[in-house]
Amino acid sequence: MGLGVMTTVATQAVVWPAPEYRTVAASVRHLFRFLGLDAANPLGRWIRPGMTVVIKPNWVKHESGDSQGRHVLYTHAAVVGVLIDAALRALGGQGRVIVADAPLQGCDFARFRGQSGLAEMEAEYADEPVDFLDLRRQWAEIDDASSYVRAVRPLAGDPRGYSLVDLGPRSRLMCFSVNARFGVTDYSAKATNGHHHGVHRYLVSNSVLGADVILNAPKLKTHMKTGITGALKNFVGIIGSKDCLPHFRPGSPRNGGDEYPDGNWISRAASPMRELLQTRAPLWIWKLARAGARASSPAVIHGGGWHGNDTLWRTIHDLVDIARNYGPGGVPRAQPRTILTLVDAIVAGEECGPLKPSPKDCGLLIWGEDPGMVDVACATLMGFDWRRIPLLRHLCDPEARAFTAFQGELAWHDAAWNSAGPFAAPVGWAGEIEAERRE
């Protein structure tokens, strides 16, 4: 199906309240039937024997503290499991399925495997042509309570390697000066700017770049840097090293940055101290400084976590462009890659998302063939005005035609509205993106 006719988004209620594996799996299969897909081969319209299919879940982080056991941080295992089964059925014994993501640097993958059901899936599909990959090249041992980095350790990453994809003038970051500075919290600013000084390069997994079809399976949450995280933001996880992902420009708008608002003196003071304390100070000093920042007024905005962030949405648009249009070696594809999205909004996340969200029991699955349209639908379901969210507003730009057909209008099958009510926006976005309330 061509990009120009990707116009449908569907929502479907999940039998609630228990997010048990069998309940969720049955709900996904019911959604496929609702869409009119072939019950015996629901993805056969897009997947054919001999293809390589990548399933891209959201494996952001292991759960800890108040989030532990709440199913709020990562894509439900049953959503992934049903997609694996459907992909294998469509492949008919010829081809391969790769389930892959690059979690947050601080994700303890051993703990995550146990919490998320991934360990059981690995055992269940051990005799099938299915790979499960952590795409990171390093992980950081981080104290859950304080976010203090104890050590950084290497990882094997993608066994198929990585490609540096240079978008050059095609990048949405190209509007900034060649001397613009970029930053990513907890990563080397020098490395980040080395990838984005006169070029715009991203280190992308070859497993992803070699796929014929991507089944995108994000978790729906609010996001402190982009307002929401869903279909588009999920492509941050195709990267091997996140130091190549500009998240903000240091400083406030008055100084040419978008890391924090003008006039927020505590944010200005906290930003340069964060890296210094994490790398050189003992844990007790870090915890003391962190507690002081949390007790301060106005609220500390750091790392671009507010509605004025004009950088990260551009990076995300670049990554979705790459996922749709580029192959191994950074070579443009002859035909755009098929991307299908199934959003897990069974237990969604609001307020301090994506890493410390409050669980919101929505009981929804959202399906679409166009990731931009899916996210506009998600924002609407969340009670947000997509026009006030840069990540979504700029889908109407001509440059976004590289990966979405959205141009301000959305046709969707509304089988289930969000009865859980509007989401609470994260600090830095509250009061800026909420849609007008209607009775």
Side-chain angles (χ1 to χ4, degrees):
M1 185 175 290
L3 180 63
V5 294
M6 291 187 180
T7 58
T8 301
V9 176
T11 66
Q12 183 69 32
V14 176
V15 178
W16 191 251
E20 298 175 354
Y21 192 99
R22 286 182 295 179
T23 301
V24 174
S27 297
V28 176
R29 290 191 288 268
H30 180 73
L31 174 60
F32 287 162
R33 290 193 296 272
F34 168 76
L35 292 166
L37 302 178
D38 182 356
N41 186 12
L43 299 183
R45 182 184 301 179
W46 302 281
I47 298 172
R48 297 182 300 279
M51 285 185 167
T52 295
V53 178
V54 164
I55 298 174
K56 172 61 183 68
N58 186 198
W59 286 346
V60 60
K61 193 177 186 291
H62 62 273
E63 292 185 332
S64 62
D66 293 340
S67 71
Q68 191 159 346
R70 304 295 293 275
H71 301 280
V72 70
L73 287 189
Y74 42 75
T75 306
H76 198 287
V79 172
V80 179
V82 174
L83 289 177
I84 293 174
D85 291 340
L88 288 174
R89 194 170 299 121
L91 290 173
Q94 302 176 52
R96 190 151 205 92
V97 176
I98 302 170
V99 185
D101 191 20
L104 196 72
Q105 184 184 23
C107 176
D108 183 332
F109 208 65
R111 291 170 64 186
F112 169 80
R113 289 177 67 252
Q115 293 174 351
S116 66
L118 175 59
E120 287 81 358
M121 279 198 293
E122 290 173 339
E124 180 178 353
Y125 295 102
D127 296 327
E128 300 287 350
V130 181
D131 298 330
F132 295 89
L133 302 179
D134 176 356
L135 298 178
R136 299 174 298 174
R137 299 199 302 171
Q138 63 180 30
W139 76 280
E141 185 181 348
I142 297 178
D143 179 72
D144 284 329
S146 66
S147 299
Y148 184 81
V149 179
R150 299 181 185 275
V152 178
R153 309 183 191 284
L155 292 173
D158 187 347
R160 297 167 183 85
Y162 302 86
S163 294
L164 269 176
V165 182
D166 183 5
L167 290 181
R170 183 182 176 114
S171 170
R172 296 310 305 270
L173 295 163
M174 199 64 188
C175 64
F176 298 123
S177 162
V178 70
N179 295 317
R181 295 181 301 124
F182 299 105
V184 187
T185 303
D186 296 333
Y187 289 88
S188 165
K190 182 178 180 180
T192 302
N193 288 292
H195 286 295
H196 296 278
H197 185 82
V199 293
H200 290 291
R201 299 181 305 199
Y202 299 92
L203 188 70
V204 185
S205 154
N206 280 337
S207 289
V208 174
L209 293 175
D212 297 291
V213 174
I214 295 176
L215 302 179
N216 188 25
K219 185 79 166 179
L220 184 61
K221 291 173 282 186
T222 55
H223 197 288
M224 298 186 72
K225 295 179 175 65
T226 55
I228 74 166
T229 174
L232 300 171
K233 179 65 171 61
N234 203 38
F235 284 98
V236 165
I238 67 175
I239 295 295
S241 181
K242 295 186 180 180
D243 59 8
C244 67
L245 302 179
H247 277 49
F248 58 86
R249 286 167 291 130
S252 69
R254 187 178 299 150
N255 300 312
D258 61 2
E259 184 180 5
Y260 49 80
D262 288 326
N264 194 321
W265 67 269
I266 191 69
S267 294
R268 181 178 180 182
S271 180
M273 289 297 294
R274 179 182 174 91
E275 183 177 357
L276 178 64
L277 289 174
Q278 270 203 331
T279 55
R280 299 184 183 181
L283 178 59
W284 70 270
I285 292 181
W286 167 260
K287 287 185 175 181
L288 184 64
R290 184 179 172 90
R294 285 182 168 178
S296 65
S297 182
V300 176
I301 302 294
H302 68 87
W306 68 302
H307 65 93
N309 187 320
D310 191 40
T311 299
L312 185 53
W313 72 263
R314 300 174 186 275
T315 298
I316 294 168
H317 279 210
D318 279 1
L319 293 174
V320 186
D321 184 3
I322 290 170
R324 184 154 169 79
N325 297 302
Y326 286 79
V331 178
R333 289 172 54 91
Q335 295 293 329
R337 180 181 289 109
T338 296
I339 297 174
L340 307 172
T341 300
L342 178 58
V343 181
D344 171 7
I346 303 163
V347 182
E350 63 179 350
E351 296 177 322
C352 194
L355 303 182
K356 296 183 179 179
S358 298
K360 192 171 185 67
D361 297 340
C362 293
L364 287 175
L365 296 166
I366 302 147
W367 168 273
E369 300 170 56
D370 182 309
M373 294 185 181
V374 168
D375 270 4
V376 171
C378 286
T380 304
L381 288 166
M382 297 168 86
F384 299 146
D385 184 345
W386 64 268
R387 300 167 190 83
R388 300 179 180 179
I389 301 172
L391 177 68
L392 307 184
R393 181 173 68 250
H394 289 284
L395 292 173
C396 296
D397 297 348
E399 295 89 342
R401 298 289 75 73
F403 59 85
T404 182
F406 182 69
Q407 297 186 56
E409 298 292 335
L410 181 66
W412 61 334
H413 298 309
D414 180 20
W417 193 249
N418 178 19
S419 59
F423 282 52
V427 173
W429 293 81
E432 299 292 337
I433 61 173
E434 292 83 354
E436 292 183 7
R437 304 296 184 225
R438 297 178 180 177
E439 295 299 327

